[in-house]
């Protein structure tokens, strides 16, 4: 009976284990299916399509584009149509004059008083059009178009900044991911050493102290890996938010930290690309726009403006306001008091040096001078940035070559130490030192590669060009 019971228990355990494996495989398959795999280009594409900052910049650019497209509307005339019905309460001298005018036109006897309610009312229509012309309008239109061009440069700057930031974050996550892999490998090595030590202790080949040291090393490594894994997950959530994916999306990064090496010279780059910088082009656009605004203000101050006005005012002088609709088309019931005028106006006060308009012009000149100083600073700063980036690239390349050799040596030293430890000729502490040196060498190499990529991205952004094929 005991054998039968034992067989039943073993069978139940086997079935349970089979189902558990099936559920585990199903869960892993579902998790893998739900994961969003992202490479560098896909991450950048997500960010460009979903960035809230870029969408806000699109709206700003649209506003400036509309202002530029319809900047000519300053030449549109102001047209106004009016219609008035009024009721006089008493028969006034003006009513008598109107009655005499009506009588002379209609060849009837003029009225001396209102005979009925309809005589109290009068109807007057009006259509007026006015157009102001000034030479300043031309410069205002040019300034609106210049602002739109600056807006396009600012929009491009935001796009480029977003792309560079996403690339740096992506490579930073790859570095963190590689660090996590190294820590997990270290944890697995610690687990295997602990199991081996436990086996050796049970066989009596090593003292208990060595087994306990291996166990402590393994247990101490667990929290470090868990903290690194949790931190990496949090960074992935932040990255998902930045590129427009729902927070909590299971992201799998695809790619490696392998830079494309280039040979560049700072002086050659500055000579070829110094004027391509978006920062410089944007600042120059702002200077040009301010100069156009100053020119428009000067034209408004020192040149006259032409004002054209036309008005048409039909007045009904028939038998009464309520019957005028039936008299439309009868020339003897209507008269026109329209007029046209052309006025040349020149505000002489605006020409005075202490007037508010000339003070505004002085402020514009001061701001232009400030921006020109900023331009000089920006151009010098560009030289510093380019030279710094080139130095960083050259130094990082040398360090990458050197650390690549260091990793090979550290790997060989660790492999030898691991064999010696398994053979019992090396202490655990010495093995851990060899392993730590290997990990530091691997992370140092990846870090230098990351520095090279970051410096290259900064250099390309500064010069607004692509230096890699």
């Amino acid at each position: 009976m005991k054998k039968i019971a034992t067989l039943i228990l073993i069978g139940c355990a086997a079935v349970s284990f089979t189902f558990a494996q099936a559920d585990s495989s199903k869960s892993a398959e579902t998790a893998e299916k739900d994961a969003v795999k992202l490479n560098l280009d896909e991450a950048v594409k997500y960010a460009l399509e979903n960035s809230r900052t870029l969408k806000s910049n699109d709206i700003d650019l649209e506003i400036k584009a509309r202002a530029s497209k319809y900047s000519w509307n300053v030449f549109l005339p102001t047209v106004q149509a009016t219609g008035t019905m009024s009721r006089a309460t008493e028969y006034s001298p003006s009513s008598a004059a109107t009655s005499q005018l009506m009588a002379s036109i209609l060849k009837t006897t003029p009225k001396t008083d209102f005979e009925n309610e309809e005589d109290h009312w009068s109807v007057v229509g009006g259509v007026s059009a006015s157009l102001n012309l000034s030479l300043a309008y031309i410069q205002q239109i040019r300034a609106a178009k210049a602002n739109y061009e600056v807006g396009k440069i600012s929009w491009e700057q935001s796009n480029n900044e977003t792309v560079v930031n996403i690339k740096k974050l992506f490579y930073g996550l790859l570095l963190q991911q590689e660090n996590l892999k190294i820590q997990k490998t270290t944890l697995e090595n610690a687990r295997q050493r602990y199991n081996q030590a436990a086996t050796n202790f049970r066989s009596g080949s090593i003292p208990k102290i060595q087994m306990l040291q291996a166990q402590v090393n393994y247990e101490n490594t667990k929290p470090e890996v868990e903290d690194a894994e949790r931190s990496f997950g949090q960074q992935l959530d932040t990255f998902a938010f930045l590129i427009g994916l729902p927070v909590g999306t299971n992201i799998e990064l695809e790619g490696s930290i392998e830079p494309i090496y280039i040979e560049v010279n700072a002086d050659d780059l500055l000579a070829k690309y110094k004027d391509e910088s978006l920062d410089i082009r944007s600042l120059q656009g702002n200077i040009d726009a301010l100069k156009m605004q100053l020119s428009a203000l000067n034209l408004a101050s020192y040149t006259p403006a032409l004002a054209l006005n036309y008005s048409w005012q039909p007045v009904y002088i028939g038998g009464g306001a309520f019957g005028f609709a039936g008299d439309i088309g009868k020339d003897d019931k209507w008269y026109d008091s329209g007029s046209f005028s052309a006025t040349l106006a020149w505000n002489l006060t605006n020409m005075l040096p202490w007037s508010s308009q000339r003070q505004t012009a002085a402020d514009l000149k001061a701001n232009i001078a400030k921006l020109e100083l900023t331009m000089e600073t920006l151009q010098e700063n560009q030289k510093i940035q380019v030279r710094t980036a080139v130095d960083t690239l050259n130094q990082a390349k040398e360090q990458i070559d050197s650390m690549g050799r260091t990793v090979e040596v550290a790997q060989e030293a660790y492999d030898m130490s691991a064999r010696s430890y398994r053979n019992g000729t090396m202490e655990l502490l010495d093995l851990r030192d060899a392993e730590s040196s290997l990990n530091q060498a691997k992370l140092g190499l990846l870090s230098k590669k990351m520095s090279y990529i970051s410096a290259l991205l900064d250099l390309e952004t500064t010069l607004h060009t692509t230096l890699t094929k």
Side-chain angles (χ1 to χ4, degrees), residues 388-402 448 451-452:
T388 301
V390 170
D391 289 342
T392 302
L393 290 177
N394 294 333
Q395 184 180 13
K397 178 65 169 59
E398 294 176 359
Q399 292 176 339
I400 288 170
D401 294 337
S402 175
K448 290 304 176 183
S451 297
Y452 190 96

Side-chain angles (χ1 to χ4, degrees), residues 3-19:
K3 291 183 178 180
I4 295 176
T6 303
L7 290 174
I8 293 175
L9 289 174
I10 293 174
C12 291
V15 172
S16 300
F17 178 73
T18 301
F19 279 108

Side-chain angles (χ1 to χ4, degrees), residues 326-429:
D327 292 332
I328 294 177
K330 296 180 181 181
D331 294 338
D332 59 344
K333 299 296 182 71
W334 296 83
Y335 76 92
D336 177 14
S337 62
S339 65
F340 171 79
S341 66
T343 304
L344 197 63
W346 197 346
N347 191 330
L348 300 179
T349 302
N350 289 336
M351 299 173 60
L352 299 175
W354 49 84
S355 66
S356 61
Q357 196 159 14
R358 298 320 303 158
Q359 292 303 307
T360 302
D363 291 342
L364 284 175
K365 289 180 181 179
N367 286 326
I368 291 172
K370 286 174 59 178
L371 289 183
E372 288 175 343
L373 289 174
T374 303
M375 176 66 78
E376 294 178 6
T377 303
L378 189 60
Q379 289 172 339
E380 292 301 313
N381 188 49
Q382 182 193 49
K383 296 177 183 179
I384 295 175
Q385 290 179 344
V386 171
R387 294 182 185 279
T388 301
V390 170
D391 289 342
T392 302
L393 290 177
N394 294 333
Q395 184 180 13
K397 178 65 169 59
E398 294 176 359
Q399 292 176 339
I400 288 170
D401 294 337
S402 175
M403 296 194 71
R405 294 188 293 269
T406 302
V407 170
E408 293 177 359
V409 173
Q411 183 67 57
E412 184 178 1
Y414 172 73
D415 293 340
M416 294 174 62
S417 300
R419 286 194 298 270
S420 299
Y421 178 76
R422 287 194 297 270
N423 295 331
T425 59
M426 177 174 284
E427 296 293 333
L428 176 61
L429 183 60

Side-chain angles (χ1 to χ4, degrees), residues 51-94:
S51 170
R52 295 172 180 83
T53 301
L54 293 184
K55 289 179 180 179
S56 176
N57 292 337
D58 289 341
I59 296 174
D60 292 337
L61 184 62
E62 182 183 352
I63 293 172
K64 292 186 177 181
R66 189 168 59 252
S68 173
K69 183 178 180 180
Y70 298 110
S71 58
W72 56 268
N73 59 16
V74 293
F75 293 111
L76 285 177
T78 301
V79 180
Q80 186 176 11
T82 60
T84 304
M85 293 185 66
S86 62
R87 182 184 184 281
T89 56
E90 296 182 1
Y91 198 77
S92 61
S94 62

Side-chain angles (χ1 to χ4, degrees), residues 143 146 283-293:
L283 186 58
Q284 186 60 54
N286 286 322
I287 292 174
D288 294 340
L290 281 182
K291 287 181 177 179
M292 292 175 191
Q293 293 178 22

Side-chain angles (χ1 to χ4, degrees), residues 35-218:
V36 176
K37 296 183 178 181
L38 282 181
N39 58 33
L40 180 61
D41 293 335
E42 290 170 342
V44 170
K45 182 180 178 182
Y46 265 106
L48 292 177
E49 291 177 351
N50 300 285
S51 170
R52 295 172 180 83
T53 301
L54 293 184
K55 289 179 180 179
S56 176
N57 292 337
D58 289 341
I59 296 174
D60 292 337
L61 184 62
E62 182 183 352
I63 293 172
K64 292 186 177 181
R66 189 168 59 252
S68 173
K69 183 178 180 180
Y70 298 110
S71 58
W72 56 268
N73 59 16
V74 293
F75 293 111
L76 285 177
T78 301
V79 180
Q80 186 176 11
T82 60
T84 304
M85 293 185 66
S86 62
R87 182 184 184 281
T89 56
E90 296 182 1
Y91 198 77
S92 61
S94 62
S95 300
T98 302
S99 178
Q100 290 178 356
L101 178 61
M102 291 170 55
S104 63
I105 294 175
L106 300 176
K107 296 180 180 180
T108 60
T109 304
K111 299 179 180 179
T112 59
D113 198 358
F114 294 131
E115 297 178 356
N116 50 50
E117 176 61 23
E118 189 175 0
D119 292 337
H120 287 265
W121 293 85
S122 62
V123 177
V124 179
V127 177
S128 64
S130 62
L131 175 63
N132 296 325
L133 299 175
S134 173
L135 293 175
Y137 290 168
I138 299 175
Q139 291 298 95
Q140 290 178 9
I141 293 174
R142 292 183 61 197
K145 295 186 178 298
N147 283 328
Y148 173 53
E149 294 301 322
V150 173
K152 289 197 293 186
I153 295 175
S154 298
W155 179 86
E156 189 175 0
Q157 281 180 301
S158 297
N159 272 33
N160 291 350
E161 184 179 352
T162 298
V163 170
V164 170
N165 289 338
I166 293 302
K167 286 183 177 180
K168 287 184 177 181
L169 284 172
F170 187 87
Y171 282 116
L173 287 173
L174 284 180
L175 179 60
Q176 194 170 353
Q177 181 174 266
E178 290 300 318
N179 180 35
L180 180 59
K181 288 181 180 178
I182 290 174
Q183 291 192 26
K184 285 185 176 180
T185 301
T186 301
L187 177 63
E188 176 61 20
N189 292 339
R191 186 190 67 81
Q192 291 179 3
R193 287 195 292 268
Y194 167 59
N195 290 338
Q196 181 185 359
T199 301
N200 292 340
F201 170 70
R202 286 193 295 270
S203 64
S205 58
I206 62 172
K208 185 176 182 180
I209 184 62
Q210 291 187 10
M211 183 197 70
L212 293 177
Q213 288 175 344
Q215 182 180 5
V216 169
N217 178 45
Y218 172 56

